[in-house]
Amino acid sequence: MLNKEEQKQYNRHLILEEIGEEGQLKLKQAKVLVIGAGGLGCPVLQYLTAAGVGTIGIIDDDVVDQSNLQRQILYTMDDIGASKAVTAAKRLSKLNPFVLFKTYEEKLTKDNAITLFKQFDIIVDGSDNFETRYLSNDASVITNKPLVYGSIFKFEGQVSVFNYKGSASYRCLYPTPPKPGEMPNCSEIGVLGVLPGIIGSLQANEVIKIICELGEVLTNKLLLLDVLTMRQLVLNYTKTDKTEITVLEENYEVFCGVTLVKNEITQEELEQNLKAYHLLDVRENWEREQNHIGGQHIPLGELPNRYREINTNKPIVVYCKSGMRSKRAIGFLEEEFSDVNFVNLKGGLW
């Protein structure tokens, strides 16, 4: 039953014939895990909290950065450097005190995914990389949990629901990951600030539809939205044998073509022996203008045309913001320079 305060909180749902008290109780009893408290995760979390989903899990190992504030509207300048998962839960609890939040300040991995997914009814993928998307898909199939998917790219977004009542999975739609560098993320190419708000809200809508058994869930369908023209397209796709998944990949970075670098160095170690290396910054121009630790600057997307400019008479430390783009850069460069020692700046630039 709903207490008097909950009845006030959810009044507009209770008077909605299609939801009513029965639907609101279903929301209260539901457990939803949101992967990522970033651009997509913020609106998903806000609307699921407002709707009264009883238990919400948040898994994110990242901290708030100033560049997040353009689109991740759960956070403020005061939150810079703080855990996204913890900060989000604190702020959301002020919106709805009747929701239980479970925070996981860690990265989703093959070692924790299955155990974690078993504790929830629905999984929402708010990640921004293919390794996590394939891992989330595979773990949801193995644990038989619906997966609400969303992705964004500049001015375009996608939404779909996988593994719901025997429907197709992410691998049916995308059997193989793109080659490294083919699909840059928003930290490399940018994203319109309102786009994750729109796509994340659509993801939250699908979650509520699943819980309350409303309307037509986006299974075996991919919603495409272009916010510059507001053109919307729904594509049908079919279930394939790619849905037959019984074990997780041994390494999702390897599966998605992310280079496993042989050599890494921390920024502290680099500063102690700076003269021994050349530096290569593969971030974008605007990132370089904000801060850098010197060295040559060639954005990742320009490397195929400019790699011959690199001075190779010393070992080269390649750096970016998080260490991921630099790994992809090293994967490319090692094919072009077989006799050069490339070192990744572990964890990226502070």
Side-chain angles (χ1 to χ4, degrees):
M1 295 291 292
L2 301 174
N3 62 40
K4 289 185 178 180
E5 290 302 312
E6 288 174 309
Q7 289 174 1
K8 292 179 184 178
Q9 187 92 2
Y10 307 128
N11 174 264
R12 297 304 188 271
H13 270 177
L14 297 176
I15 63 176
L16 194 61
E17 183 179 349
E18 290 80 358
I19 295 183
E21 185 168 0
E22 182 182 351
Q24 194 61 51
L25 285 171
K26 289 179 179 178
L27 288 166
K28 182 177 180 178
Q29 293 160 2
K31 299 178 180 179
V32 178
L33 175 67
V34 179
I35 303 169
L40 292 172
C42 282
V44 169
L45 288 165
Q46 285 172 295
Y47 277 105
L48 294 185
T49 299
V53 171
T55 302
I56 298 177
I58 310 171
I59 179 167
D60 197 316
D61 67 338
D62 199 8
V63 297
V64 179
D65 184 85
Q66 189 170 357
S67 65
N68 300 149
L69 303 182
Q70 166 254 12
R71 64 201 177 281
Q72 298 179 22
I73 56 175
L74 267 177
Y75 312 117
T76 70
M77 293 287 287
D78 293 337
D79 300 319
I80 292 173
S83 161
K84 285 185 179 179
V86 173
T87 303
K90 286 180 180 178
R91 189 142 294 130
L92 291 165
S93 64
K94 295 179 181 179
L95 170 64
N96 191 341
F98 306 112
V99 175
L100 171 65
F101 294 98
K102 295 185 177 182
T103 57
Y104 306 90
E105 296 177 79
E106 57 191 285
K107 183 178 180 180
L108 186 73
T109 68
K110 66 180 291 291
D111 296 322
N112 62 17
I114 299 296
T115 301
L116 196 55
F117 282 23
K118 285 180 178 179
Q119 301 174 43
F120 294 88
D121 305 316
I122 300 170
I123 314 300
V124 183
D125 182 6
S127 65
D128 62 356
N129 63 82
F130 289 98
E131 307 93 87
T132 304
R133 288 172 188 162
Y134 280 96
L135 169 59
S136 301
N137 174 79
D138 296 356
S140 71
V141 171
I142 291 171
T143 57
N144 194 28
K145 306 292 182 179
L147 177 66
V148 180
Y149 159 78
S151 71
I152 52 176
F153 181 78
K154 296 179 71 173
F155 303 100
E156 301 173 358
Q158 301 180 355
V159 182
S160 190
V161 176
F162 304 122
N163 199 46
Y164 176 61
K165 294 185 176 180
S167 71
S169 77
Y170 182 75
R171 285 183 184 257
C172 300
L173 186 60
Y174 299 112
T176 57
K179 294 179 181 178
E182 281 187 348
M183 289 294 293
N185 61 34
C186 66
S187 66
E188 300 169 52
I189 202 165
V191 63
L192 184 68
V194 300
L195 177 62
I198 296 169
I199 299 301
S201 296
L202 292 173
Q203 287 180 272
N205 184 55
E206 292 303 306
V207 173
I208 293 170
K209 284 161 59 180
I210 292 170
I211 295 170
C212 296
E213 301 177 276
L214 297 172
E216 296 181 13
V217 177
L218 269 174
T219 52
N220 302 330
K221 296 184 178 78
L222 179 68
L223 171 66
L224 305 171
L225 177 65
D226 182 336
V227 295
L228 289 185
T229 62
M230 292 312 294
R231 291 194 181 99
Q232 182 174 303
L233 180 65
V234 178
L235 301 177
N236 294 316
Y237 58 94
T238 58
K239 184 176 180 179
T240 70
D241 59 4
K242 297 294 183 181
T243 299
E244 303 301 320
I245 300 164
T246 57
V247 294
L248 298 178
E249 298 282 348
E250 185 62 32
N251 190 307
Y252 280 86
E253 287 193 348
V254 172
F255 174 73
C256 292
V258 177
T259 301
L260 294 181
V261 295
K262 300 174 184 176
N263 299 313
E264 288 193 308
I265 190 171
T266 66
Q267 192 167 331
E268 286 181 343
E269 292 169 338
L270 175 62
E271 289 171 353
Q272 292 171 7
N273 198 21
L274 195 57
K275 292 182 180 180
Y277 301 97
H278 286 310
L279 303 180
L280 176 62
D281 181 356
V282 295
R283 299 173 302 159
E284 297 301 303
N285 292 326
W286 65 268
E287 294 175 285
R288 176 79 173 189
E289 291 172 2
Q290 287 186 346
N291 70 321
H292 63 85
I293 54 175
Q296 195 167 4
H297 176 226
I298 304 178
L300 178 62
E302 298 178 20
L303 267 184
N305 297 322
R306 296 181 56 192
Y307 69 91
R308 293 180 184 86
E309 301 173 18
I310 299 172
N311 188 341
T312 60
N313 62 2
K314 287 183 181 180
I316 299 170
V317 173
V318 186
Y319 70 92
C320 65
K321 179 183 175 182
S322 67
M324 293 304 294
R325 278 175 284 173
S326 51
K327 285 183 180 181
R328 295 207 292 269
I330 289 173
F332 168 77
L333 292 170
E334 285 182 334
E335 293 184 2
E336 303 297 332
F337 302 101
S338 59
D339 57 345
V340 178
N341 183 17
F342 293 98
V343 182
N344 188 53
L345 185 62
K346 188 176 182 179
L349 188 64
W350 295 344

